[in-house]
Amino acid sequence: MEDQKIPTPALVSFGITRQCDLKCKHCYSDAGEREADELSTEEAKRVISDVAELGARLIILDGGEPTLRKDLLELIFFSTGKGLRTVIGSHGMSLTREFAVKLKNAGCKGVAISLDGADAETHDQWRGVGGAWARTIQGAKNCAEAGLPFQIAPLLHAGNWTQLREIAEFARDIGSEAVELFDFVPAGRAKMHPDYELGTEERKKIIEETISLQRKGDLTFRVIGLPQYWPIVERTVPEDEILSSFVRSCCAAGTRYITIMSNGDVIPCMVLQVKVGNVRERSLVEIWRNSQLLQDLRNRDNLKGKCGICRYRKTCAGARCKAYEKSGDILAEDPTCWFTEDEIREEGID
């Protein structure tokens, strides 16, 4: 593949630690104890330098729980100095007002705060620790008070998806700038809880509700793990409104997005857990440019089944993570897609 044909990643996710003090049922990094082979500060800075060299605009430092890593502020300051818009992904429980101020002063531009319920019972049951909801909400309020932008990031599963509107309204009321929805994917620790995966009707209702909420204009909504969202937006929302209000978010695995794990392993996406290299063996730049698997993902004509013939394969491509988890093939059709062949070939999607 020639250099000029290699896309520039828009977003890089860097899981700087596996350490975490929660026990979330879905945890894609299977977080818990700190790994002995976690990248050092200098190794992490080299990865960040590579992210900047690739031309990425945004880097998210997450985990595990990134606030448990002692050099987090140093890494944020370094990343910002490289010209990267630097944000973190956090459970929010460590975000005292004082620490929120320190994050902002180090150059952090925002925090994605995980909130998996509109009430304490729902959130705490999923996160595995009592009192987590109250501490997370306080962390969000501390960010607002410190002037540090944040968004709420709920994972939607069979036990909480009906709370979507309540979560969105709550997010707006506490000062969130956006809501980033994640569809439950049976990867990582989530493989042990397959009963929480949503069905077609639930996913359709989530998309319908999200479009309705976005059209109100109170918040920006992003949808992760459910790429069918975008074709439906294109079919049901006026083009000028799409351009002014809607954000396309996936599936970007290996095309506009890449993930680095705390031990240096590189995977196309946090939920597409196929190793394409390790930054201790090859630079991130080399992996991004030369990985055959990433090249395969970037060529949408490689997609199989319905995804391969779909008129929306360039903008949707199906959820590659779900294809892989169900079939072992990253290029297989998305097994959860409900669009018929007639719809995707000729008449479009209603």
Side-chain angles (χ1 to χ4, degrees), residues 27-159:
C27 186
Y28 298 130
S29 58
D30 197 16
E33 298 298 321
R34 180 179 181 273
E35 285 186 320
D37 60 349
E38 184 176 282
L39 295 177
S40 68
T41 301
E42 291 309 309
E43 287 175 318
K45 286 181 178 179
R46 187 168 66 246
V47 170
I48 292 169
S49 295
D50 279 354
V51 172
E53 182 179 338
L54 282 171
R57 300 188 299 273
L58 178 67
I59 185 170
I60 179 167
L61 305 180
D62 54 20
E65 174 50 42
T67 61
L68 298 180
R69 182 156 167 156
K70 295 179 180 179
D71 60 359
L72 174 61
L73 295 175
E74 181 180 352
L75 294 178
I76 292 172
F77 183 81
F78 180 84
S79 177
T80 301
K82 289 290 182 181
L84 292 165
R85 181 175 176 83
T86 307
V87 301
I88 69 168
S90 173
H91 56 36
M93 299 196 307
S94 305
L95 299 176
T96 63
R97 188 180 184 283
E98 293 74 19
F99 192 64
V101 170
K102 289 181 179 179
L103 286 170
K104 184 178 179 181
N105 290 342
C108 182
K109 298 302 182 184
V111 186
I113 299 177
S114 300
L115 187 71
D116 296 331
D119 55 66
E121 181 180 2
T122 304
H123 178 83
D124 291 359
Q125 187 272 342
W126 187 257
R127 294 268 155 181
V129 173
W133 192 84
R135 291 176 62 189
T136 294
I137 296 305
Q138 187 59 54
K141 291 179 178 178
N142 290 337
C143 288
E145 188 177 348
L148 179 63
F150 68 93
Q151 67 177 29
I152 294 301
L155 177 116
L156 299 180
H157 55 77

Side-chain angles (χ1 to χ4, degrees), residues 156-167 202 206 209:
L156 299 180
H157 55 77
N160 75 347
W161 73 272
T162 58
Q163 297 182 359
L164 170 56
R165 183 170 287 271
E166 291 177 83
I167 293 171
E202 291 90 347
I206 286 170
E209 184 87 325

